[in-house]
Amino acid sequence: AGRRRPDAAQPRPAHRRPAAAPASAPRRPRLTGRGGILVICAVSFAAALAGGLAARAEISGVAFTAACVLAALTVRPTDLLSLTVSPPLAYFTAALGAEMLLTIGDGGFARGVAIGMAAHLADVAPWLFLGTALVLVIAVFRGLPRNVRAFSDEVNGRRPRTAAEDRAERDRG
């Protein structure tokens, strides 16, 4: 009846709340590299369908470029390398899926998809180059060179560099 718990004699530490982030700096959402690629693919798919139905290829190109910029700005800095190599393939996959849906029911399905894809890619080629270039430019300013060095170190079996070593190398060069 009079038993005490062993920790009852020790005073409990005061509960501390973690410091709240400053109100002037709201936390931006971050995507993984796969999430950024998925955003590009989903937006491109929807826009390719809309552009195909409206017979306006620029809808697809503008949406792809906007999705690329959004993904490059919201992907975690550590995932920039995987994002930078993926936009053309993500667009091709989305456009192929949309073209297949738009061609269902037409005679000569495979021929219709092949001709539709060739025409579609020719129409949006400038937008593809622009979107991919914008991803690269934004990624360079967000830390892509650091990711490339880390990947190179990993592939070549070198130990990862510290931030101090990176700064020293930058200062020397």
Side-chain angles (χ1 to χ4, degrees):
R3 293 183 78 172
R4 295 178 64 184
R5 292 188 327 228
D7 61 341
Q10 299 171 355
R12 291 186 177 178
H15 180 67
R16 299 176 113 185
R17 285 186 177 175
S24 62
R27 184 174 164 96
R28 293 184 356 201
R30 291 285 180 216
L31 295 173
T32 62
R34 290 179 188 150
I37 295 165
L38 183 61
V39 164
I40 292 171
C41 203
V43 169
S44 296
F45 178 74
L49 279 176
L53 292 172
R56 304 284 308 237
E58 60 271 5
I59 293 171
S60 182
V62 170
F64 169 75
T65 303
C68 284
V69 169
L70 175 70
L73 291 173
T74 57
V75 164
R76 295 184 305 200
T78 56
D79 291 341
L80 286 170
L81 184 58
S82 62
L83 178 71
T84 58
V85 298
S86 301
L89 182 59
Y91 184 80
F92 179 80
T93 304
L96 181 61
E99 195 62 43
M100 290 171 71
L101 281 177
L102 292 170
T103 308
I104 288 178
D106 292 347
F109 178 75
R111 181 174 179 259
V113 170
I115 291 172
M117 279 299 292
H120 183 82
L121 291 174
D123 288 341
V124 298
W127 293 102
L128 291 176
F129 289 123
L130 177 63
T132 304
L134 287 173
V135 166
L136 288 170
V137 168
I138 292 168
V140 164
F141 286 107
R142 293 197 58 225
L144 180 62
R146 185 175 42 245
N147 291 351
V148 171
R149 280 192 301 275
F151 179 70
S152 174
D153 290 346
E154 182 181 331
V155 168
N156 292 317
R158 294 185 294 249
R159 68 174 178 76
R161 300 175 198 189
T162 64
E165 290 171 334
D166 280 344
R167 276 193 301 275
E169 184 178 323
R170 250 192 330 249
D171 293 342
R172 279 184 289 187

